[in-house]
Amino acid sequence: IAGQIASALTNAKLYAEAREIADQLYKSARDYRNLFENAHDAIWFQDLYGKILAGNRATLMISGYPADELIGRNVKEFMDEGMLKLGKEVGKKLLNGEAFNQPYEQQTVTKDGIRRTLTLTTILMTIDDKPVGFQHIARDVSEERRMQKNLRYYLNQITRAQEEERKRISRELHDDTAQA
């Protein structure tokens, strides 16, 4: 009987530990899901062939597709040949365990045909050390790039105007000195 009691106590202790681990896993999964859904950056998962398996709200906003239309689409639909080439290079490097600079910039096209510039971080997803797909975290930097381009344009215009003013003043000084 003492052996049965000891065995029952051990089983109860093991059950309590297993229950605690299960509760922690549930809470961790719930917290991750909450973070995934509410992140300001787009996060999506795709299989090795480019089929989108899941995406958060920010992904839906960047792509322009509602969830029921986005899931199952291939990422190739959002890229032209140049963009696709970069995407394949990134995937190949991740699959081969090669290092590359992240985040990197990639262009994409929305449902409405609008080109967007994204900064992306991509990781290889594995199950039992076998690659199954990719997770992407992206931020739309299209507006920032447009503003930077405009700023460079205006700086060039100001520099050109300043140079023309310097030339004008130089001519006036030269002409006035020559007449004097």
Side-chain angles (χ1 to χ4, degrees), residues 68-130:
D68 60 336
E69 290 181 35
L70 182 66
I71 305 306
R73 288 191 175 278
N74 196 296
V75 294
K76 294 176 186 176
E77 296 177 42
F78 306 103
M79 299 183 217
D80 64 23
E81 283 302 314
M83 299 174 208
L84 192 55
K85 182 179 177 187
L86 175 60
K88 286 180 180 180
E89 287 175 23
V90 168
K92 183 178 175 183
K93 286 182 179 190
L94 286 169
L95 287 167
N96 292 329
E98 297 175 30
F100 67 99
N101 289 333
Q102 292 202 60
Y104 59 98
E105 281 197 7
Q106 175 66 295
Q107 299 283 318
T108 186
V109 180
T110 67
K111 180 180 182 179
D112 300 331
I114 298 168
R115 287 181 78 91
R116 295 194 184 270
T117 302
L118 306 176
T119 57
L120 279 161
T121 300
T122 302
I123 62 169
L124 181 65
M125 302 297 292
T126 60
I127 295 177
D128 296 328
D129 294 326
K130 293 179 184 172

